[in-house]
Amino acid sequence: YHTALALAYAGADVILACRDLKRCEAARDKMAEALTSAGKTAQGLEARELDLSSLASVRRFGAEFRASARPLQLLCLNAGVMAIPQYTESKDGFEMQFATNHLGHFALAKELEPILEASAPARVVTVSSVAHSGPAMEVENLPPPKDSYGDWSAYQQSK
Protein backbone atom coordinates (compact mmCIF):
# COMPACT_ATOMS: atom_id res chain seq x y z
CA TYR A 1 0.00 0.00 0.00
CA HIS A 2 2.59 2.55 1.09
CA THR A 3 4.94 1.79 -1.80
CA ALA A 4 2.12 2.28 -4.28
CA LEU A 5 0.99 5.46 -2.55
CA ALA A 6 4.52 6.91 -2.63
CA LEU A 7 4.85 6.11 -6.34
CA ALA A 8 1.47 7.71 -7.09
CA TYR A 9 2.43 10.74 -5.00
CA ALA A 10 5.54 11.10 -7.19
CA GLY A 11 3.32 11.12 -10.29
CA ALA A 12 3.46 7.50 -11.44
CA ASP A 13 0.46 5.71 -12.84
CA VAL A 14 -0.13 2.82 -10.43
CA ILE A 15 -2.02 -0.41 -10.97
CA LEU A 16 -2.96 -2.12 -7.72
CA ALA A 17 -3.25 -5.83 -8.53
CA CYS A 18 -5.01 -7.74 -5.76
CA ARG A 19 -6.76 -11.08 -5.35
CA ASP A 20 -9.78 -9.41 -3.70
CA LEU A 21 -11.06 -6.72 -6.07
CA LYS A 22 -13.37 -5.09 -3.49
CA ARG A 23 -10.52 -4.63 -1.02
CA CYS A 24 -8.33 -3.44 -3.89
CA GLU A 25 -10.87 -0.81 -4.86
CA ALA A 26 -11.14 0.29 -1.21
CA ALA A 27 -7.35 0.69 -1.05
CA ARG A 28 -7.39 2.64 -4.32
CA ASP A 29 -10.12 4.94 -2.99
CA LYS A 30 -8.20 5.50 0.24
CA MET A 31 -5.07 6.35 -1.77
CA ALA A 32 -7.05 8.68 -4.02
CA GLU A 33 -8.36 10.51 -0.96
CA ALA A 34 -4.84 10.87 0.46
CA LEU A 35 -3.47 12.12 -2.85
CA THR A 36 -6.28 14.61 -3.33
CA SER A 37 -5.81 15.89 0.23
CA ALA A 38 -2.14 16.47 -0.60
CA GLY A 39 -3.03 18.42 -3.75
CA LYS A 40 -1.98 15.60 -6.08
CA THR A 41 -3.91 13.92 -8.85
CA ALA A 42 -5.33 10.44 -8.32
CA GLN A 43 -6.10 9.99 -11.99
CA GLY A 44 -3.44 7.31 -12.55
CA LEU A 45 -4.67 4.87 -9.88
CA GLU A 46 -6.24 1.67 -11.09
CA ALA A 47 -7.52 -1.44 -9.28
CA ARG A 48 -7.25 -4.81 -11.04
CA GLU A 49 -7.87 -8.38 -9.97
CA LEU A 50 -4.85 -10.71 -9.80
CA ASP A 51 -4.54 -13.89 -7.75
CA LEU A 52 -0.83 -14.71 -7.69
CA SER A 53 -1.55 -18.21 -6.39
CA SER A 54 -3.32 -19.01 -9.67
CA LEU A 55 -1.21 -19.31 -12.80
CA ALA A 56 -4.36 -18.87 -14.91
CA SER A 57 -5.03 -15.54 -13.16
CA VAL A 58 -1.43 -14.47 -13.75
CA ARG A 59 -1.67 -15.39 -17.44
CA ARG A 60 -4.99 -13.53 -17.76
CA PHE A 61 -3.58 -10.41 -16.08
CA GLY A 62 -0.49 -10.55 -18.30
CA ALA A 63 -2.55 -10.95 -21.48
CA GLU A 64 -4.83 -8.05 -20.53
CA PHE A 65 -1.88 -5.82 -19.71
CA ARG A 66 -0.08 -6.69 -22.95
CA ALA A 67 -3.28 -5.97 -24.90
CA SER A 68 -3.47 -2.50 -23.33
CA ALA A 69 -0.19 -1.56 -25.09
CA ARG A 70 0.82 0.49 -22.05
CA PRO A 71 4.46 0.88 -21.10
CA LEU A 72 5.73 -0.56 -17.83
CA GLN A 73 8.78 0.97 -16.21
CA LEU A 74 8.47 -0.62 -12.75
CA LEU A 75 7.08 -3.94 -11.61
CA CYS A 76 7.03 -4.09 -7.82
CA LEU A 77 6.49 -7.65 -6.60
CA ASN A 78 5.25 -7.00 -3.09
CA ALA A 79 2.27 -9.30 -2.55
CA GLY A 80 2.26 -12.27 -0.27
CA VAL A 81 0.58 -14.51 2.22
CA MET A 82 2.14 -15.32 5.55
CA ALA A 83 2.16 -18.25 7.96
CA ILE A 84 -1.00 -20.01 6.80
CA PRO A 85 -1.85 -22.24 9.82
CA GLN A 86 -3.02 -25.28 7.84
CA TYR A 87 -1.39 -26.79 4.76
CA THR A 88 -3.30 -25.35 1.81
CA GLU A 89 -2.80 -25.90 -1.90
CA SER A 90 -3.32 -23.43 -4.71
CA LYS A 91 -5.64 -24.22 -7.62
CA ASP A 92 -2.53 -25.45 -9.42
CA GLY A 93 -1.64 -27.92 -6.64
CA PHE A 94 1.28 -26.04 -5.04
CA GLU A 95 1.59 -25.19 -1.35
CA MET A 96 -0.18 -21.80 -1.08
CA GLN A 97 2.65 -19.66 0.32
CA PHE A 98 5.15 -21.00 -2.22
CA ALA A 99 2.61 -20.53 -5.01
CA THR A 100 1.78 -16.94 -4.04
CA ASN A 101 5.07 -15.58 -2.74
CA HIS A 102 7.44 -17.27 -5.16
CA LEU A 103 5.89 -18.92 -8.22
CA GLY A 104 3.28 -16.22 -8.79
CA HIS A 105 5.84 -13.43 -8.69
CA PHE A 106 8.12 -15.28 -11.10
CA ALA A 107 5.26 -16.07 -13.48
CA LEU A 108 4.05 -12.45 -13.45
CA ALA A 109 7.54 -11.11 -14.19
CA LYS A 110 7.87 -13.56 -17.09
CA GLU A 111 4.41 -12.62 -18.43
CA LEU A 112 5.34 -8.93 -18.41
CA GLU A 113 8.98 -9.32 -19.48
CA PRO A 114 8.37 -8.34 -23.14
CA ILE A 115 6.66 -5.11 -22.03
CA LEU A 116 9.39 -4.34 -19.51
CA GLU A 117 12.04 -4.83 -22.21
CA ALA A 118 10.12 -2.62 -24.65
CA SER A 119 9.70 0.04 -21.94
CA ALA A 120 13.41 0.28 -21.09
CA PRO A 121 14.75 1.59 -18.89
CA ALA A 122 12.57 -0.57 -16.64
CA ARG A 123 13.03 -2.38 -13.35
CA VAL A 124 11.64 -5.33 -11.43
CA VAL A 125 11.76 -4.93 -7.65
CA THR A 126 11.05 -7.93 -5.46
CA VAL A 127 10.18 -7.10 -1.87
CA SER A 128 11.04 -9.86 0.55
CA SER A 129 11.01 -10.30 4.30
CA VAL A 130 13.54 -10.64 7.06
CA ALA A 131 12.07 -14.14 7.38
CA HIS A 132 14.15 -15.18 4.36
CA SER A 133 17.17 -15.19 6.64
CA GLY A 134 15.74 -18.01 8.75
CA PRO A 135 16.89 -21.61 8.42
CA ALA A 136 18.77 -22.57 5.28
CA MET A 137 16.59 -23.20 2.24
CA GLU A 138 15.61 -26.84 1.87
CA VAL A 139 15.76 -27.07 -1.91
CA GLU A 140 14.91 -30.77 -1.85
CA ASN A 141 11.65 -29.90 -0.01
CA LEU A 142 10.32 -27.19 -2.33
CA PRO A 143 7.49 -26.72 -2.20
CA PRO A 144 7.10 -28.00 1.36
CA PRO A 145 5.34 -31.37 1.53
CA LYS A 146 2.07 -31.69 3.38
CA ASP A 147 3.39 -34.23 5.91
CA SER A 148 6.10 -31.87 7.22
CA TYR A 149 4.31 -28.54 6.80
CA GLY A 150 5.01 -25.78 9.28
CA ASP A 151 3.38 -22.38 8.79
CA TRP A 152 6.44 -20.22 9.52
CA SER A 153 9.00 -22.53 7.94
CA ALA A 154 6.90 -22.67 4.74
CA TYR A 155 6.70 -18.86 4.78
CA GLN A 156 10.48 -18.58 5.21
CA GLN A 157 11.06 -21.00 2.35
CA SER A 158 8.73 -19.01 0.10
CA LYS A 159 10.82 -15.88 0.64
PDB file of all heavy atoms in Angstrom, residues 7 24 42 60 96 100:
ATOM      1  N   LEU A   7       4.646   6.015  -4.895  1.00  0.00           N
ATOM      2  CA  LEU A   7       4.846   6.111  -6.344  1.00  0.00           C
ATOM      3  C   LEU A   7       3.787   7.014  -6.980  1.00  0.00           C
ATOM      4  O   LEU A   7       4.104   7.849  -7.837  1.00  0.00           O
ATOM      5  CB  LEU A   7       4.827   4.716  -6.972  1.00  0.00           C
ATOM      6  CG  LEU A   7       6.031   3.849  -6.648  1.00  0.00           C
ATOM      7  CD1 LEU A   7       5.763   2.397  -7.039  1.00  0.00           C
ATOM      8  CD2 LEU A   7       7.280   4.372  -7.337  1.00  0.00           C
ATOM      9  N   CYS A  24      -9.227  -4.196  -3.017  1.00  0.00           N
ATOM     10  CA  CYS A  24      -8.328  -3.440  -3.886  1.00  0.00           C
ATOM     11  C   CYS A  24      -8.926  -2.070  -4.218  1.00  0.00           C
ATOM     12  O   CYS A  24      -8.246  -1.041  -4.164  1.00  0.00           O
ATOM     13  CB  CYS A  24      -8.076  -4.240  -5.165  1.00  0.00           C
ATOM     14  SG  CYS A  24      -6.773  -3.602  -6.227  1.00  0.00           S
ATOM     15  N   ALA A  42      -5.144  11.876  -8.552  1.00  0.00           N
ATOM     16  CA  ALA A  42      -5.334  10.444  -8.318  1.00  0.00           C
ATOM     17  C   ALA A  42      -5.774   9.765  -9.609  1.00  0.00           C
ATOM     18  O   ALA A  42      -6.214   8.623  -9.597  1.00  0.00           O
ATOM     19  CB  ALA A  42      -6.364  10.233  -7.216  1.00  0.00           C
ATOM     20  N   ARG A  60      -3.910 -14.437 -17.351  1.00  0.00           N
ATOM     21  CA  ARG A  60      -4.994 -13.533 -17.762  1.00  0.00           C
ATOM     22  C   ARG A  60      -4.583 -12.073 -17.543  1.00  0.00           C
ATOM     23  O   ARG A  60      -4.749 -11.234 -18.423  1.00  0.00           O
ATOM     24  CB  ARG A  60      -6.275 -13.876 -16.998  1.00  0.00           C
ATOM     25  CG  ARG A  60      -7.494 -13.083 -17.401  1.00  0.00           C
ATOM     26  CD  ARG A  60      -8.789 -13.584 -16.742  1.00  0.00           C
ATOM     27  NE  ARG A  60      -8.651 -13.992 -15.352  1.00  0.00           N
ATOM     28  CZ  ARG A  60      -8.603 -15.262 -14.925  1.00  0.00           C
ATOM     29  NH1 ARG A  60      -8.670 -16.258 -15.777  1.00  0.00           N
ATOM     30  NH2 ARG A  60      -8.495 -15.533 -13.639  1.00  0.00           N
ATOM     31  N   MET A  96       0.337 -23.148  -0.829  1.00  0.00           N
ATOM     32  CA  MET A  96      -0.176 -21.802  -1.082  1.00  0.00           C
ATOM     33  C   MET A  96       0.861 -20.685  -0.920  1.00  0.00           C
ATOM     34  O   MET A  96       0.915 -19.765  -1.736  1.00  0.00           O
ATOM     35  CB  MET A  96      -1.382 -21.532  -0.182  1.00  0.00           C
ATOM     36  CG  MET A  96      -2.078 -20.222  -0.485  1.00  0.00           C
ATOM     37  SD  MET A  96      -2.770 -20.145  -2.167  1.00  0.00           S
ATOM     38  CE  MET A  96      -4.274 -21.072  -1.935  1.00  0.00           C
ATOM     39  N   THR A 100       2.047 -18.380  -4.037  1.00  0.00           N
ATOM     40  CA  THR A 100       1.782 -16.940  -4.044  1.00  0.00           C
ATOM     41  C   THR A 100       3.064 -16.123  -3.991  1.00  0.00           C
ATOM     42  O   THR A 100       3.275 -15.219  -4.804  1.00  0.00           O
ATOM     43  CB  THR A 100       0.893 -16.558  -2.843  1.00  0.00           C
ATOM     44  OG1 THR A 100      -0.300 -17.334  -2.885  1.00  0.00           O
ATOM     45  CG2 THR A 100       0.538 -15.085  -2.868  1.00  0.00           C
TER      46      THR A 100
END
